[in-house]
Amino acid sequence: MATTEDKRELGDDDAWKRELYEAAPERQGELFSTISGLENEPLYTPERVELDYDRDLGYPGAYPFTRGVYPSMYRGRLWTMRQFAGFGTAEETNERFRYLLEHGQTGLSTAFDMPTLMGYDSDHARSLGEVGREGVAVDSLADAETLFDGIPLGEVSTSMTINGPAAMLLAFYICVAEQQGVERAELRGTIQTDILKEYIAQKEWIFPPEPSMRLVTDMVEFCARELPLWHPISISGYHIREAGSNAAQELAFTLANGFAYVDAAIERGLAVDEFAPRLSFFFNAHLDFFEEIAKYRAARRIWARELRERYGAKNPRSWLMRFHTQTAGVSLTAQQPEVNIVRTALEALAAVLGGTQSLHTNSFDEALALPTEDAVRIALRTQQVIAHETGVVNTIDPLGGSYYLEDLTNRLEAEAYDYFSRIEKLGGVIPAIEENFQQREIAEASFRYQAEVESKQRVIVGVNRYRLEEESEIELLRVDPALEQKQIERVKGVRARRDSATVERSLAALKEASVREDANLMPLLIEASRAYVTMGEMCDALRETWGTWRAGCAF
C-alpha cells in the first residue's frame, strides 16, 4: 500500500520497517540473501551504512581504486572484448580467430584441449579421444606457428588459458613473435599460469606445488626483465567460482593466491615494484547482480591496500588491480538454452558496472557443446550492445554511493579478511591446500547452493520453474573425430623432421637446470622450442626430476 506519510514522522529506519514495511507480507518460499549467503535488509539508508567517501571510495584512478583503476575508465577506452576460442587443430582455431577479429573482437583468447592442459602430446596414450575436443591441440612450435599465422602479434593482445605447461606455451609464443620480427618488449597479452587455483579448484596440474611455484616465479622474473608489457600470471577466481564457491570465497581465495605469488617473487629477490604492475586477475561474473559488482570493487580496494601497506610498493601501478572477466559458464542451462543469452547479458553488464578491463561473454549453447560461429557472434554482439547502446559507459562507476552496494562491498571485504586470517593460521596458501581447506569450503558452499536450488528457494528459470514439456533442438558444433588422427600425424612429422641431437641436448640441459635453484628455466624452454622439442617432451623431462602430485580427498 502506498503512503504519502513524511518519513520524518516515522523517526528512523526501524520505525519505517515496523509501521509500514511489515504491514505488507513478504513473498514466501524464496531467499532474499545473496548467493554467498549474506542477508539483505529490505532497505538501505545512511542510518544503516557506515561510509567514509575518501577512505572507502575516493576517485577513479586514485587510491584505493574502489571506483576504477583509470581516471577516465570507459569514457577514455572501452574494455578489451575477447571471445574464448579453440577447437580441433591449429588450422581450425586460426580460422575462428580471424572470424572474430573481422567481427570486431579486440583481443584473442585461446582455449587449449585437455592433453595440452595436462602436458601430454596428442599421440600419448592418455590423449586418446580428447585431442582438439574442448580446445585447440598445441604440441610444438609448429602448431603455434599455424595457430597465429597471419595474425600480427605486435598489434594484437593475446590471452592463453593454460597453467601447468604455461611456460612452454609462452616459449612457443615468443618464438613465433621472433619469426614475425616482433621484439619481446612489444608483446602484449596474458598467460594464465595460476597453478594455485588448479590445486584448489580446476585440478589440471602436472607437478607438485613447490616446483610448480618455482616455474611460475621463473616466468614472473623472466617477463619482468624481457616482456615488460606481458602479464605473466592471471590470478584466477573464475575457476574457483565454477567449482562451486560463492562470491566471498572467490574473492578471498583469489586474493590469497595473489599474495602467495607476490611472496614467492620477493623471496626470489625481486623488488615488488619490478613485477607487481604486470600481475593481472580473472574473475567470474555470476548472476547475483549487485553482489558481483561489489565483489570487483572490494577486490580492487583490498589489493591496493595490501600492496601499499603490507608489501610497501611505492609505484602506484603496483597498487592497481586490473582484471579480465568471463560470464559464468556454470550458470548456463541445457534447458531452454536461448535464455542463456539473457543471463550472459546481465552478467556482462555486472562486469562492466564493476569496472572490468577485459571481458568474455559465454555463448548460449555452451552448456551443450563448444559454441557455433552464430552463437559466438551473438555473445560478442552482447558486449557491443552494452558498450554502445545502454549508456552505462557514459559516466564512471554510476552505482558508486548506492547505500546497498557500498554496504555489500564492505561486507564482502570483511568476509575476505576473515578467510585470510584462517588461511594464515594454517601456515599459508600451500599448507592450506595440502590440508584441503579451500577445497572443503568450496564443496560446502556448492552443496548449500544446490540444496537451495533443489528446494526451489533459488529459482533457475527453465530448470526448477517455468519448464517446457518439450525442448526444441539447436544446431551444435561437432568436432570432426578425424582431426585427432590428423594432429597425431602432425606431431609425428615434426619429430621426424627435426635434429634429434639438438633435441636431446635441450632436454638434458632442461633436466640439469631443473634441480638447480639458481637457474631460470625460461631461456632453456625457449631454446628447446626453437629445436621443435614438443611440449609433452619438456613436461616429461620435468616429471622425471620433479615428480607428479596426487591430491587428497575433501569431504
Side-chain angles (χ1 to χ4, degrees):
M1 182 177 67
T3 178
T4 58
E5 186 171 3
D6 191 328
K7 179 185 179 299
R8 288 172 295 181
E9 297 177 9
L10 294 173
D12 57 22
D13 290 0
D14 291 336
W16 167 83
K17 188 174 182 180
R18 183 177 60 253
E19 297 177 26
L20 293 180
Y21 179 77
E22 292 179 355
E26 293 180 336
R27 297 195 320 274
Q28 298 299 306
E30 290 184 41
L31 296 172
F32 293 106
S33 59
T34 70
I35 289 177
S36 293
L38 300 180
E39 294 298 333
N40 287 315
E41 293 290 335
L43 183 70
Y44 286 83
T45 71
E47 293 178 23
R48 293 193 177 275
V49 181
E50 181 185 348
L51 184 64
D52 182 306
Y53 186 89
D54 292 330
R55 180 194 67 201
D56 299 330
L57 279 81
Y59 291 93
Y63 184 89
F65 306 103
T66 309
R67 308 200 69 179
V69 291
Y70 300 125
S72 61
M73 287 303 289
Y74 306 136
R75 285 174 67 107
R77 178 184 174 185
L78 294 174
W79 61 92
T80 301
M81 298 183 189
R82 300 186 191 274
Q83 290 303 120
F84 204 33
F87 64 94
T89 69
E91 286 92 346
E92 286 75 30
T93 301
N94 178 264
E95 290 178 13
R96 178 64 64 88
F97 280 167
R98 292 168 181 262
Y99 174 86
L100 289 167
L101 291 171
E102 289 169 2
H103 282 81
Q105 180 168 297
T106 54
L108 299 178
S109 185
T110 314
F112 298 95
D113 70 358
M114 185 59 71
T116 305
L117 295 173
M118 299 303 294
Y120 294 111
D121 289 335
S122 295
D123 60 347
H124 193 282
R126 291 192 176 184
S127 301
L128 181 64
E130 293 291 340
V131 176
R133 291 289 176 170
E134 63 176 33
V136 62
V138 175
D139 292 315
S140 72
L141 175 58
D143 292 321
E145 292 165 349
T146 302
L147 183 63
F148 297 107
D149 181 45
I151 295 172
L153 300 190
E155 301 172 17
V156 173
S157 170
T158 302
S159 173
M160 292 185 279
T161 301
I162 194 161
N163 296 278
M168 294 76 177
L169 266 295
L170 180 59
F172 293 161
Y173 193 82
I174 289 169
C175 290
V176 174
E178 288 175 352
Q179 294 173 5
Q180 292 187 4
V182 180
E183 297 291 333
R184 295 176 183 178
E186 297 175 26
L187 293 176
R188 294 179 300 111
T190 304
I191 193 160
Q192 197 164 97
T193 323
D194 182 2
I195 198 62
L196 292 175
K197 68 96 170 95
E198 294 296 330
Y199 300 117
I200 292 171
Q202 190 159 257
K203 313 302 184 185
E204 291 165 4
W205 62 72
I206 300 174
F207 316 113
E210 293 295 343
S212 292
M213 283 292 285
R214 179 259 178 96
L215 191 55
V216 170
T217 309
D218 282 356
M219 293 178 67
V220 171
E221 181 181 45
F222 179 82
C223 289
R225 293 169 181 168
E226 301 277 343
L227 280 74
L229 301 181
W230 189 267
H231 297 284
I233 311 178
S234 177
I235 305 157
S236 303
Y238 185 85
H239 309 89
I240 292 172
R241 192 63 177 279
E242 293 288 287
S245 83
N246 58 41
Q249 292 167 340
E250 179 192 355
L251 172 65
F253 297 159
T254 305
L255 288 171
N257 289 351
F259 301 143
Y261 293 125
V262 173
D263 290 334
I266 291 173
E267 187 176 350
R268 173 69 63 88
L270 296 173
V272 66
D273 287 323
E274 283 188 77
F275 65 88
R278 302 312 297 171
L279 297 179
S280 65
F281 287 79
F282 175 20
F283 286 111
N284 197 293
H286 214 290
L287 273 167
D288 200 320
F289 189 74
F290 290 103
E291 183 170 60
E292 295 302 292
I293 298 169
K295 177 185 73 183
Y296 308 130
R297 300 168 91 250
R300 277 194 296 270
R301 194 159 71 198
I302 294 170
W303 186 254
R305 180 189 301 117
E306 296 301 308
L307 266 289
R308 189 175 80 164
E309 298 181 10
R310 188 202 307 188
Y311 293 104
K314 304 299 183 187
N315 183 351
R317 291 184 62 80
S318 297
W319 310 336
L320 302 184
M321 170 181 277
R322 287 166 290 248
F323 64 91
H324 170 71
T325 310
Q326 181 174 339
T327 57
V330 75
S331 73
L332 303 179
T333 65
Q335 300 92 331
Q336 302 179 43
E338 294 92 343
V339 179
N340 292 329
I341 297 171
V342 181
R343 294 187 177 100
T344 296
L346 292 171
E347 292 165 351
L349 182 60
V352 170
L353 290 171
T356 192
Q357 277 62 68
S358 173
L359 179 60
H360 164 85
T361 33
N362 289 329
S363 299
F364 73 89
D365 53 359
E366 288 190 64
L368 299 165
L370 291 175
T372 63
E373 284 192 350
D374 286 345
V376 167
R377 187 178 65 254
I378 291 171
L380 179 58
R381 294 289 184 257
T382 301
Q383 294 197 48
Q384 292 163 341
V385 168
I386 291 172
H388 301 293
E389 298 186 29
T390 63
V392 298
V393 301
N394 294 341
T395 191
I396 301 163
D397 189 31
L399 297 180
S402 155
Y403 300 126
Y404 174 51
L405 185 63
E406 300 304 344
D407 181 78
L408 201 49
T409 301
N410 292 342
R411 286 191 285 159
L412 284 171
E413 182 176 2
E415 292 277 318
Y417 273 99
D418 180 64
Y419 270 118
F420 298 158
S421 176
R422 295 167 68 184
I423 290 170
E424 185 177 355
K425 288 177 181 176
L426 291 169
V429 169
I430 291 179
I433 288 170
E434 292 171 343
E435 291 286 330
N436 283 316
F437 170 71
Q438 296 97 324
Q439 298 93 311
R440 281 196 305 271
E441 290 291 307
I442 293 170
E444 290 173 7
S446 179
F447 179 82
R448 286 194 300 271
Y449 178 77
Q450 187 61 32
E452 291 168 358
V453 171
E454 291 181 7
S455 66
K456 300 184 180 180
Q457 291 178 297
R458 292 202 185 276
V459 175
I460 308 297
V461 173
V463 176
N464 62 4
R465 195 183 290 185
Y466 311 115
R467 291 180 290 193
L468 295 178
E469 292 299 323
E470 294 185 11
E471 296 273 354
S472 58
E473 292 188 4
I474 62 172
E475 181 183 352
L476 299 177
L477 174 69
R478 302 189 187 278
V479 178
D480 185 351
L483 294 178
E484 179 162 342
Q485 188 58 39
K486 174 184 174 183
Q487 182 63 20
I488 289 171
E489 295 303 321
R490 182 182 178 90
V491 69
K492 287 181 176 178
V494 168
R495 291 200 193 99
R497 294 191 301 270
R498 67 193 184 181
D499 185 290
S500 297
T502 303
V503 168
E504 291 304 318
R505 284 195 300 271
S506 296
L507 290 172
L510 180 60
K511 284 191 279 190
E512 188 273 333
S514 69
V515 297
R516 294 189 357 243
E517 294 183 0
D518 63 338
N520 188 307
L521 299 186
M522 279 305 303
L524 292 170
L525 293 172
I526 292 169
E527 286 301 317
S529 299
R530 290 196 190 104
Y532 291 90
V533 178
T534 69
M535 185 194 61
E537 290 167 336
M538 290 186 247
C539 289
D540 282 345
L542 295 177
R543 284 185 182 100
E544 285 186 36
T545 58
W546 290 347
T548 56
W549 195 68
R550 185 180 296 275
C553 295
F555 292 101

